[in-house]
Amino acid sequence: MRRVTTKRELRAALVSSKGERRVLVPTMGALHAGHAELLRRARDLAGKDGCVVASVFLNPVQFDNEADLSTYPRHQEDDAQLCEDCGVDVLFMPTPQEMYYADRSMVVEEKLLSRALCGAKRPGHFAGVCLVVSKLFNMVQPTDAVFGKKDFQQLAILRRMVRDLDYPITLHGVPTVREPSGLAISSRNERLTGEQRVHAPKLYAALKQGAAAYVAGESAANTVEIVTKLIETIPGTRIDYVEMVQSETFEPLEIDAHEEGPLLLAAAVWFGEIRLIDHVEILR
Ligand code: PAF
């Protein structure tokens, strides 16, 4: 594996890359079993002759909360080891100064799908994601890129970016990896206290219970209420949102609606200072 930190080194490493497919896995580091799945998928897609590029860059531009950025876990050496173990060919670990000009003035903003859920609660977040991913696409020029489905809205927005900006890149979504308790694996989990960890799986359990109620005939409004009430019983939590939307357009459902899928029941919940997101897709 070649480990590079500058754009110039990245270009040099890519010149010698062979094979038809170049597969990019963008990450913010603090890699875990979920990222390992993305990297393994990338390796499969690239085949033995293709090239897998992983980036580890804690993108300051997508953080709307300074404390979240400063406390975000960083484990560069462990990250590099995991990339090596998963068959990455080129690992790009730039500094913020390498990535961004001090007087940068371009934005890449998606204006429709970002209005709901996390986009409504974290102003500028998805514009920061689109900016860094579009830069990585330009630097790496991959044929394919792999993202986790855990960040469902992010993946939908990036698909829209690829379509609307004509990037000749195929995006692949990898299913959420969960602990046996049901808790979605996330870099932020390592900041949970022992007690928060005990309660955190209840978020997914609440969403699953809500989805089952909806499928059994509850309206969208009642489903959201069921999930809200369940989450409110989890000690030490504060709800950021519980919402049900169309999973392709992210349009909210009519209050009394009982529409056919594909729908998304999603929530963001603060466990103390840590914000966890999760969702259930309702496909029928
Ligand atoms: O999902 C993430 O880890 C980040 O949002 C991404 C796509 C790497 C962009 O910084």
Side-chain angles (χ1 to χ4, degrees):
M1 181 177 81
R2 286 185 70 178
R3 185 166 161 179
V4 298
T5 55
T6 65
K7 295 178 220 176
R8 182 193 286 261
E9 289 171 329
L10 177 65
R11 267 194 300 276
L14 294 176
V15 164
S16 54
S17 88
K18 318 169 275 13
E20 275 175 25
R21 283 173 105 171
R22 182 181 293 165
V23 187
L24 172 66
V25 184
T27 81
M28 295 205 299
L31 303 185
H32 48 61
H35 292 110
E37 281 297 306
L38 307 186
L39 295 169
R40 282 194 281 266
R41 169 71 81 87
R43 186 71 267 163
D44 278 358
L45 288 164
K48 69 175 175 25
D49 294 333
C51 178
V52 175
V53 182
S55 61
V56 168
F57 178 62
L58 189 51
N59 177 30
V61 175
Q62 71 186 73
F63 283 79
D64 54 319
N65 173 331
E66 184 51 43
D68 191 24
L69 174 61
S70 61
T71 56
Y72 200 89
R74 294 155 213 242
H75 308 297
Q76 283 215 340
E77 292 315 309
D78 291 347
D79 291 347
Q81 188 59 55
L82 186 87
C83 287
E84 177 100 60
D85 295 346
C86 292
V88 169
D89 298 300
V90 179
L91 171 58
F92 181 44
M93 287 179 144
T95 60
Q97 295 72 23
E98 179 67 16
M99 204 65 181
Y100 292 117
Y101 294 95
D103 63 346
R104 71 177 171 82
S105 50
M106 281 297 299
V107 290
V108 184
E109 194 175 359
E110 193 286 327
K111 283 175 168 299
L112 211 56
L113 310 178
S114 340
R115 291 188 307 191
L117 310 182
C118 288
K121 295 289 177 180
R122 301 184 65 189
H125 167 66
F126 285 122
V129 171
C130 287
L131 181 64
V132 79
V133 173
S134 67
K135 283 168 72 70
L136 288 166
F137 283 176
N138 293 331
M139 290 173 205
V140 175
Q141 303 197 356
T143 54
D144 303 79
V146 181
F147 295 89
K149 280 193 181 169
K150 174 174 177 292
D151 295 308
F152 190 94
Q153 190 178 16
Q154 168 175 281
L155 180 56
I157 289 168
L158 291 173
R159 285 194 194 285
R160 183 60 61 96
M161 180 179 89
V162 161
R163 188 198 76 176
D164 285 5
L165 300 185
D166 294 303
Y167 278 107
I169 301 172
T170 305
L171 300 196
H172 304 265
V174 172
T176 306
V177 179
R178 297 184 180 277
E179 293 185 354
S181 64
L183 176 64
I185 294 183
S186 154
S187 303
R188 289 187 174 85
N189 293 356
E190 66 175 81
R191 293 185 51 224
L192 294 170
T193 63
E195 198 193 339
Q196 287 166 340
R197 232 169 202 287
V198 171
H199 295 305
K202 296 177 187 166
L203 167 56
Y204 183 53
L207 288 165
K208 278 201 306 188
Q209 210 169 312
Y214 184 81
V215 170
E218 288 292 354
S219 67
N222 285 349
T223 301
V224 167
E225 199 180 322
I226 289 166
V227 177
T228 303
K229 289 213 163 106
L230 286 167
I231 296 175
E232 280 170 352
T233 67
I234 309 175
T237 58
R238 183 164 50 85
I239 292 177
D240 201 17
Y241 66 76
V242 177
E243 278 177 53
M244 230 175 140
V245 294
Q246 301 281 354
S247 64
E248 279 158 15
T249 61
F250 290 86
E251 290 291 336
L253 301 188
E254 293 298 320
I255 201 89
D256 294 324
H258 193 90
E259 299 178 28
E260 294 294 298
L263 307 171
L264 190 75
L265 176 58
V269 176
W270 290 95
F271 286 72
E273 298 300 304
I274 301 137
R275 183 176 178 275
L276 299 184
I277 58 171
D278 209 338
H279 68 268
V280 175
E281 281 180 87
I282 300 172
L283 296 171
R284 71 180 196 104

